């Protein structure tokens, strides 16, 4: 049995794979593959509507927000968030918490002034900056709620009068958030939502249309809102699988229930990292991510050996990102506690083997 | 048995559905779903490389061109082609052959002057304009090789000194073209390439980097070339299925072989339209598309009745686009000749029933 700790695209529930596999042959007993049906068919419109409805329900999206399924991942949102919200001659504020935040900053600079209000760059992004001030004249304040590479996560969202824009790609729907605290949330689907190829956007409608810019159609949130995510041909299969996965999450008890599981999973793994003398965590304890657990070995020369042992015990995808080194266990919603147990057991087995 | 005449997303070969369905459960005997593997895994990099290689091979792409798999469909390419090729203060020339051409024109206007060199708008786009002159000072000349809604296709590509940009979404790989005649070819995958969610771009490298613009990363062809279509997380499954489908096309004998089949299929259907006194084609005969066959009934009041009969004989997706009315049979590469025979038989059965 393999335990997939990959950082994304990542594990999804086995029952979702099974349903998706069946729909590739025969979707909803239409006799047609999900891959050949028209996006304008009543069957697919129902899928898309259910996916949007499930996002609204699972995240308690309030009135006045639109939920979109788009393409292009967070990388396209770096650009779209800025072109839609940053007025001509305006300024945006950004929190620099990792490589993805830096990329968001780079794209925003195409459209106006960017103020970096705080950064943990000098500590290789191993913590979330706190105690900064957001300039009142910023059009928005952009944060990254979870930093996959460094294993940090923001547990207290900043209180500010400026609209909060959040790249929630790697922890969306892993824990309860108050959507009304945000002006814009976006997330590449390929962690907790579904397979690669779709992007979820949750945007407060009354923030739009105020930049004074001409926005090309495909970059304009309002165009996609008006088109109900079908301004152009949507990524049919990715949205279908996301819908299946969101159904699974709902049946599990929703975000509150999965949050409890995620806390238990992260606690178990961090406890072993802290207990086992061969390992140590890399992120500041108060900012430790519940989605991406980064750790190294006290003796880096043993890392290859442990990696080999872990893989032989079915734990795959735990090699750390090159900029942090060591290991990264991505433990998204769909990773069962059995995966954590297997990794903890491998760590303990390694400890024993060194005695 | 159903014959899927849908305009796209559309029919793909049954063996592709079968392989794709299996890979959703167990990809290449990895024990993992294609939906959960990392896009940076050696297995998926091999898929992406094979997909690119198959495009090069099947289309005889010459040296000096790059092949990309991106997201966003032709709609994003309307914008990307202009931002990458239209210099500040420059002009682009467009041929207006339908709604999609009009949309391309609209997006290009965000970036400079657009000259429409010819249009068939006044005839509801039922022919391809000819005998126009392309201005020598245009940065490029944009054409749409096949117009799905109106059932027209361009068989003689314009000879011009200006780089030719072609939206080939609905007839790419249905017939041989000389890629070196083009500066840029793009195509939403969801007709002859694969499922929705991927876009193929074939661009001549030396046309890039000459606009004097700052291009946001995700819109910059050079960024995607440098990232080998993995600047950001690619649409893994869509590329995988495209690769399977291109393998199928290669095994069939490639584009030259499928072109022969497509001619035979289109000829058979148009012959019945021309013979059967109840039906008539809507497109100018010399511009009739081999991919989308549009036709109406001499007596429009009978259309509902024929639609019902055709559907009862398994012919689905033949209702025409509202802007043309009547019927549209999309007969892409993967539609077997049996589908044509079934539709022709339904037309003949209808004729007999009216006697």
């Amino acid at each position: 049995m393999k335990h997939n700790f990959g950082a994304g695209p990542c594990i999804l529930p086995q029952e979702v794979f099974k349903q998706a596999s069946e729909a590739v042959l025969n979707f909803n007993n239409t006799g047609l593959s999900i891959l050949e049906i028209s996006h304008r068919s009543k069957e697919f419109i129902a899928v898309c509507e259910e996916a949007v409805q499930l996002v609204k329900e699972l995240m308690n999206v309030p009135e006045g927000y639109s939920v979109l399924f788009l393409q292009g991942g967070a990388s396209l949102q770096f650009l779209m968030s800025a072109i839609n919200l940053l007025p001509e001659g305006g300024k945006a504020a950004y929190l620099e918490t990792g490589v993805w935040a830096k990329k968001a900053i780079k794209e925003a600079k195409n459209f106006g002034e960017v103020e970096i209000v705080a950064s943990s760059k000098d500590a290789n992004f191993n913590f979330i900056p706190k105690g900064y001030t957001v300039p009142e004249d910023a059009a928005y304040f952009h944060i990254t709620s979870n930093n996959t590479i460094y294993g940090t996560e923001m547990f207290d969202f900043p209180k500010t009068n400026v609209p909060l824009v959040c790249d929630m790609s790697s922890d969306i729907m892993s824990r309860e958030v108050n959507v009304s605290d945000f002006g814009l949330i976006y997330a590449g689907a390929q962690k907790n939502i579904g397979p690669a190829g779709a992007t979820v956007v949750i945007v407060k409608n009354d923030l739009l249309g105020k930049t004074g810019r001409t926005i090309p159609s495909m970059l304009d949130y309002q165009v996609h809102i008006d088109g109900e995510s079908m301004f152009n041909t949507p990524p049919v299969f990715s949205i279908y699988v996301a819908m299946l996965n969101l159904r699974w999450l709902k049946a599990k008890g929703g975000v509150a229930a999965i949050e409890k599981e995620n806390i238990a999973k992260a606690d178990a793994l961090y406890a072993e990292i802290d207990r086992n003398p061969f390992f140590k965590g890399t992120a500041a304890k108060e900012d430790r991510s519940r989605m991406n657990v980064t750790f190294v070995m006290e003796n880096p020369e043993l890392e290859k050996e442990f990696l080999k042992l872990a893989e032989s015990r079915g734990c795959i995808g735990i090699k750390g990102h090159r900029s942090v080194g060591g290991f990264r266990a991505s433990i998204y919603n769909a990773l069962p506690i059995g995966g954590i147990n297997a990794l903890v057991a491998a760590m303990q087995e390694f400890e024993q083997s060194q005695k």
Side-chain angles (χ1 to χ4, degrees), chain A residues 304-314 346-347 349-350:
Chain A
K304 264 196 171 160
E305 200 181 327
F306 174 68
L307 184 65
K308 213 172 140 186
L309 173 71
E311 285 181 348
S312 75
R313 298 300 179 262
M347 292 165 78
E349 185 181 344
F350 188 84

Side-chain angles (χ1 to χ4, degrees), chain A residues 216-293:
Chain A
S217 305
M218 276 294 284
L219 304 179
D220 189 341
Y221 289 134
Q222 194 61 56
V223 166
H224 292 291
I225 292 169
D226 295 344
E228 296 181 338
S229 297
M230 294 218 209
F231 168 69
N232 67 324
T233 309
V236 171
F237 184 74
S238 296
I239 294 175
Y240 175 69
V241 181
M243 185 277 284
L244 294 176
N245 187 54
L246 298 177
R247 273 188 190 165
W248 168 85
L249 181 54
K250 183 178 170 182
K252 291 269 293 182
V255 175
I258 208 82
E259 181 172 6
K260 274 188 200 156
E261 285 191 24
N262 286 331
I263 291 172
K265 280 153 54 184
D267 283 354
L269 185 50
Y270 283 119
E272 178 62 18
I273 290 167
D274 291 341
R275 185 207 63 76
N276 192 315
F278 286 86
F279 299 93
K280 61 178 174 186
T282 62
K285 283 196 177 180
E286 72 274 20
D287 301 323
R288 281 174 161 180
S289 168
R290 292 178 195 146
M291 294 288 104
N292 311 95
V293 177

Side-chain angles (χ1 to χ4, degrees), chain A residues 34 86 217 235 291 322 330 342:
Chain A
I34 182 74
L86 185 45
S217 305
M291 294 288 104
R322 64 184 179 282
S330 296

Side-chain angles (χ1 to χ4, degrees), chain A residues 20-28 30-38 236-237:
Chain A
S21 174
E22 285 164 7
V24 170
L25 296 177
N26 183 3
F27 164 62
N28 271 10
T30 55
L32 297 173
S33 168
I34 182 74
L35 304 181
E36 66 176 319
I37 60 160
S38 169
V236 171
F237 184 74

